Amino acid sequence: QTGGSPQTGGSPQTGGSTGGSTGGSPQTGGSTGGAPQTGTWASSTSQGQQAANYALTLMGTQYQLGGNGPAYDCSGVTYAAWRSAGYTLSRTAQGQYNATTHIPISDVRPGDLVFYGTGRSASAIYHVAIYIGNGQVAEATTWGDVAQVRAYDASWRIGNLIPYAGRP
């Protein structure tokens, strides 16, 4: 992974801390105030926005399982988006969940990854999308559909929404 080194309290350029501090905010780095975390985040707010912006350029592309361009699957979109911001993610939705810091879904910022798992199980992740702001995600969903923007909490998948987003 690339990015800044973790520091307690965090800053927009260095990421966050799991050291128990309640300082900082998800917008500028820092702790998530007791939410489950798997590590520190190394990405900055500007990198997240850059990833979200890049994901928008991929909307309208065809779906392809395992696609890395010019057609994409769900994790291909998020992989390409974060790569454009200088950060390399795992290539699968489950791998991306496992490798990111978990942020309460209520604290998402552009660039955070939103996950869906069967029965909301973190061990049964089957889909990932990238949060772009205003309750919207950019995603590639299924064969025959093009990548699109939609509400992250759309009713057709809300029962499988993981309550924690992933922040690289």
Side-chain angles (χ1 to χ4, degrees):
Q1 292 180 351
T2 61
S5 60
Q7 296 179 352
T8 303
S11 74
Q13 296 304 311
T14 60
S17 168
T18 58
S21 166
T22 57
S25 72
Q27 292 298 326
T28 60
S31 168
T32 58
Q37 296 185 25
T38 59
T40 59
W41 67 81
S43 64
S44 67
T45 303
S46 63
Q47 282 176 304
Q49 187 64 60
Q50 183 178 345
N53 291 345
Y54 187 82
L56 288 173
T57 72
L58 302 178
M59 298 302 95
T61 59
Q62 290 295 314
Y63 178 88
Q64 179 182 345
L65 183 62
N68 289 315
Y72 297 87
D73 66 2
C74 64
S75 57
V77 167
T78 55
Y79 176 88
W82 272 99
R83 189 170 179 119
S84 78
Y87 193 93
T88 302
L89 292 172
S90 173
R91 184 50 190 83
T92 66
Q94 186 71 59
Q96 290 175 6
Y97 181 83
N98 294 344
T100 54
T101 300
H102 301 150
I103 307 298
I105 200 78
S106 59
D107 292 338
V108 294
R109 69 181 189 200
D112 286 348
L113 305 180
V114 177
F115 296 94
Y116 303 85
T118 304
R120 293 190 177 176
S121 172
S123 63
I125 303 286
Y126 65 83
H127 184 65
V128 62
I130 187 167
Y131 187 74
I132 59 170
N134 298 318
Q136 303 285 304
V137 292
E139 65 180 356
T141 55
T142 191
W143 182 256
D145 286 344
V146 296
Q148 61 189 322
V149 171
R150 71 162 177 88
Y152 80 87
D153 60 354
S155 61
W156 68 276
R157 195 179 287 142
I158 192 66
N160 290 327
L161 176 66
I162 301 295
Y164 297 98
R167 183 168 297 159

